Amino acid sequence: MKRTILLNPGPITLTERVRQALLREDLCHREPEFAELTLDIKKRLASVYPEATTDYEAIMLTGSGTCAVEAMLSTLIPQNGKALVVSNGVYGERIVSMVTTHGKAVEVVSSQWHEPMNLIEVEKHLEQDSGITHVIAVHHETTTGRLNDVAKLGQLCKSKNVALLLDSVSSFGAEKIEFADWNLEACAATANKCLHGVPGICFVLVKKSVFESRPSAAETLYLDLDRYHQEQLQGYSPFTQAVQIVYALQESLKEMEDLGGWMARHQQYSHLSQQIRQCLRELGISTLLDEPDYSCVLTSFNLPLGYSYEKIHDSLKKSGFIIYAGQGRLKKDIFRIANMGDIQLDDAKRLRNCLQSLFR
Ligand SMILES: *Cc1c(COP(=O)(O)O)cnc(C)c1O
């Protein structure tokens, strides 16, 4: 089989170990074997960050990352509550659209896409408006590659006693998450980014005490986390789960544990992303953000003079590498290189050679 290296921010290049897991025996999602599989995955997901293991429950859904984010917002923001969304990219804006679609009250503190979150404004909002029940932010804003300063935001939430909900879709498994210090009520993520699984399964980690303290606020039947939670305590789910993809998620979690957990993955990604940035810097290509602002997962580069995105994309694709365009208003300005998935030393070396012959 042809080996394609996906340098887009998910789905990722699978390891053979995870790919093989897709071929296991057929299984009905109402059988006890599936319940056992679900319970095992719930345990492993809640243990990716040891701090979360006892106080948070992992809830697994069939769908992409957006499904997990929407289920989290819909179920947890009370109908008479109010959301404060901190936005500096496409995914922050998507959260605003979701809360608005759900008909819940929302305030927005937005910054330019290349700017950090505006925490001074957040503080003002929290001081002026005691009706805000939830602050919502994007941990790694994949639009630009910025790792948002959620530690500072979380401190603010904690000091004001407001719950934080996090879109950690492109950071879960690779960046630090501090559950207690950030006053984190829940975070949403997916199988097919930093966890190296197959697209089709997503999940939310929810503080257990939430389910005991208030009813579900979901205005949707299918994405009501409360219902999933109740049934998944015994390992079952209200609707058909993507069985083969669940097998693959279990294998990818085992593989990650074997390789040393999220911190080892963080180190591996950091090393790789620094190599890619250095290579392009030496070829005269600048980054959109300052280098320390990036996550270890993805970097955005300014398109150099005389090169369209298509030209760079098509040339790399011929060599088996798939990069990613800018979104929205950055479409004409940047290209992005993510470094998740099964990228071997040889692949990295070959990528460097391709970039050198393209830009030299
Ligand atoms: C990938 C991503 C999502 C979800 O995208 P899907 O296409 O639904 O998987 C949400 N938030 C962030 C920050 C992402 O990077």
Side-chain angles (χ1 to χ4, degrees), residues 153-170:
L153 178 69
Q155 270 168 22
L156 271 178
C157 291
K158 194 159 188 170
S159 71
K160 306 288 180 207
N161 198 26
V162 174
L164 178 66
L165 303 178
L166 208 56
D167 169 346
S168 58
V169 176
S170 61

Side-chain angles (χ1 to χ4, degrees), residues 25-312:
E25 74 273 23
D26 294 326
L27 180 57
C28 168
H29 67 294
R30 298 284 175 216
E31 290 299 314
E33 289 83 357
F34 187 77
E36 209 174 291
L37 178 62
T38 300
L39 290 174
D40 181 71
I41 288 176
K42 275 165 64 73
K43 204 162 80 196
R44 288 179 199 274
L45 285 173
S47 321
V48 170
Y49 295 89
E51 189 199 333
T53 311
T54 47
D55 295 342
Y56 291 78
E57 192 82 38
I59 301 163
M60 193 176 76
L61 303 158
T62 286
S64 77
T66 306
C67 167
V69 175
E70 186 149 32
M72 170 177 79
L73 302 175
S74 168
T75 308
L76 298 179
I77 302 168
Q79 257 130 18
N80 60 356
K82 190 192 270 183
L84 176 65
V85 182
V86 195
S87 165
N88 57 350
V90 168
Y91 296 99
E93 292 177 7
R94 187 178 290 174
I95 289 170
V96 176
S97 307
M98 286 180 191
V99 182
T100 309
T101 303
H102 301 163
K104 288 169 182 168
V106 59
E107 288 181 21
V108 185
V109 171
S110 55
S111 323
Q112 299 286 318
W113 286 5
H114 60 279
E115 298 284 346
M117 300 188 295
N118 188 341
L119 295 180
I120 294 168
E121 272 305 307
V122 171
E123 189 165 15
K124 273 192 205 154
H125 277 256
L126 290 177
E127 258 154 24
Q128 285 162 3
D129 192 339
S130 57
I132 294 168
T133 52
H134 289 82
V135 168
I136 306 148
V138 179
H139 189 200
H140 167 217
E141 187 38 276
T142 321
T143 311
T144 56
R146 180 184 295 277
L147 186 67
N148 276 322
D149 189 354
V150 180
K152 281 229 180 72
L153 178 69
Q155 270 168 22
L156 271 178
C157 291
K158 194 159 188 170
S159 71
K160 306 288 180 207
N161 198 26
V162 174
L164 178 66
L165 303 178
L166 208 56
D167 169 346
S168 58
V169 176
S170 61
S171 58
F172 192 95
E175 296 286 356
K176 188 178 206 172
I177 299 177
E178 297 190 89
F179 290 77
D181 285 354
W182 297 357
N183 220 32
L184 199 64
E185 184 168 276
C187 63
T190 186
N192 62 285
K193 294 201 186 189
C194 310
L195 298 182
H196 294 186
V198 176
I201 288 288
C202 62
F203 60 93
V204 186
L205 250 61
V206 185
K207 210 175 191 167
K208 287 178 182 168
S209 56
V210 170
F211 292 113
E212 292 144 23
S213 64
R214 56 176 204 263
S216 168
E219 63 295 280
T220 123
L221 179 134
Y222 192 71
L223 296 181
D224 184 354
L225 282 182
D226 240 15
R227 184 162 171 202
Y228 280 85
H229 169 60
Q230 295 308 330
E231 299 195 24
Q232 278 184 11
L233 285 173
Q234 286 79 43
Y236 295 96
S237 295
F239 314 104
T240 310
Q241 295 276 18
V243 176
Q244 281 74 9
I245 291 161
V246 176
Y247 280 141
L249 174 59
Q250 184 192 40
E251 202 57 43
S252 72
L253 288 165
K254 285 183 181 172
E255 183 179 58
M256 185 168 167
E257 289 160 25
D258 292 347
L259 293 171
W262 80 266
M263 281 196 239
R265 185 143 295 171
H266 177 82
Q267 276 196 330
Q268 189 229 331
Y269 283 5
S270 297
H271 183 68
L272 197 50
S273 60
Q274 278 162 22
Q275 274 188 342
I276 293 167
R277 290 201 275 269
Q278 188 190 342
C279 170
L280 284 166
R281 192 189 319 119
E282 285 168 5
L283 292 165
I285 291 163
S286 58
T287 51
L288 175 71
L289 309 178
D290 294 337
E291 293 208 13
D293 293 341
Y294 283 105
S295 73
C296 65
V297 173
L298 175 143
T299 310
S300 52
F301 296 95
N302 294 309
L303 280 170
L305 224 62
Y307 288 84
S308 65
Y309 169 75
E310 288 72 21
K311 180 173 169 178
I312 301 172

